[in-house]
Amino acid sequence: SVVELTKNEDPVRRYLADAWAIAQTGQLPPDARALATAGFCRSALEAACHEAIRARRIKAGVRHADVERELAQAETTYDMLTLALLDDAKRSSELVDRIRSRHGGQAAVDAFHAVKSGTHVIYQGDLKHLVNETERLANAVRA
């Protein structure tokens, strides 16, 4: 057998690369492209949230099993982003204002809403813009 080594990108970058590829392809119907792009963007944002939550909690001395339990309880993208940005899932009412004021303005809020619902409702906007804004928000979460 032959073994080939390849560089493994981090999950956020991998999902965003997939989102870019889908957003730019002309080989898919527009609705399928929109659903897939939004899905990859959501996965990228959730991966960024997981990374930020794990890093903060582990650094604070929280046991790995407890961190994973907390992540499992954050069932939605909304829950995960609330935990990542506000460090408390119970502060969800503050999330949109936090995104708007500190993490990219209204464009970031719009991208967040699009990715959290984009696999259920077909996104009608510019897919490249959605990927760009998702990338900015994911990078802000990771910072």
Side-chain angles (χ1 to χ4, degrees):
S1 65
V2 176
V3 176
E4 184 179 326
L5 297 177
T6 59
K7 184 178 179 183
N8 187 13
E9 295 182 56
D10 70 85
V12 176
R13 297 222 181 283
R14 202 169 45 240
Y15 286 127
L16 288 169
D18 289 342
W20 270 115
I22 296 294
Q24 296 180 74
T25 187
Q27 299 170 336
L28 287 174
D31 288 355
R33 218 172 10 155
L35 289 169
T37 300
F40 281 122
C41 286
R42 183 178 71 190
S43 293
L45 187 56
E46 289 178 356
C49 290
H50 285 186
E51 180 182 312
I53 294 163
R54 282 186 181 111
R56 185 173 47 249
R57 297 285 195 266
I58 299 300
K59 185 177 180 181
V62 178
R63 293 181 21 206
H64 286 268
D66 294 336
V67 174
E68 294 306 313
R69 190 175 309 107
E70 189 173 23
L71 286 172
Q73 290 172 349
E75 296 176 346
T76 66
T77 306
Y78 207 99
D79 294 342
M80 282 181 239
L81 194 55
T82 300
L83 195 55
L85 294 182
L86 298 166
D87 204 29
D88 183 352
K90 295 175 185 166
R91 294 175 61 191
S92 61
S93 64
E94 301 171 42
L95 179 60
V96 171
D97 286 338
R98 173 63 65 96
I99 295 169
R100 186 178 291 112
S101 67
R102 297 187 187 178
H103 301 290
Q106 189 60 44
V109 171
D110 292 344
F112 166 64
H113 287 301
V115 303
K116 77 179 181 63
S117 63
T119 57
H120 309 290
V121 177
I122 296 171
Y123 180 68
Q124 299 296 318
D126 182 306
L127 295 177
K128 293 174 187 173
H129 179 72
L130 177 62
V131 178
N132 273 333
E133 291 305 320
T134 301
E135 182 174 22
R136 284 189 188 119
L137 183 54
N139 287 337
V141 168
R142 296 170 101 181

